[in-house]
Amino acid sequence: EVATAALRAEAEPLLVAAEADFVFSGHVHAYERSLPVGGIQHLVVGHGGNHERLYNDWNESAATGYRQGEHYGWGQLDLWPDAYSWQV
């Protein structure tokens, strides 16, 4: 948690200044989508599966829009010059 807080403190102002729409990460073996934080939606897409199994033990967060750690899955991000599409 300390390393995560330090990374967020350093990275969040840069992402906001760059007007980022999304931040994708994937270490936790589950899927979580935040409500916009500083105008940025954060997605953890790590439920592809491995020998460590899925993760479904969560700390409560007011920023969470949706979370799921009960089954394996994937996401597909399509990018165009003026639009994007995200599917889970």
Side-chain angles (χ1 to χ4, degrees):
E1 294 292 326
V2 173
T4 299
L7 175 61
R8 183 174 179 187
E10 294 294 324
E12 196 79 24
L14 300 173
L15 295 165
V16 170
E19 299 179 3
D21 292 321
F22 293 102
V23 171
F24 288 89
S25 60
H27 178 75
V28 174
H29 302 278
Y31 174 80
E32 182 175 18
R33 180 180 64 244
S34 76
L35 299 172
V37 177
I40 302 168
Q41 192 164 38
H42 297 256
L43 295 108
V44 176
V45 186
H47 59 308
N50 78 356
H51 65 90
E52 294 175 356
R53 308 223 174 156
L54 292 164
Y55 181 85
N56 203 26
D57 184 21
W58 303 92
N59 293 327
E60 292 300 316
S61 173
T64 296
Y66 179 79
R67 58 174 53 146
Q68 196 284 101
E70 296 177 355
H71 64 78
Y72 295 107
W74 66 91
Q76 178 176 323
L77 175 64
D78 294 308
L79 300 170
W80 297 278
D82 58 351
Y84 56 84
S85 170
W86 169 247
Q87 299 176 29
V88 177

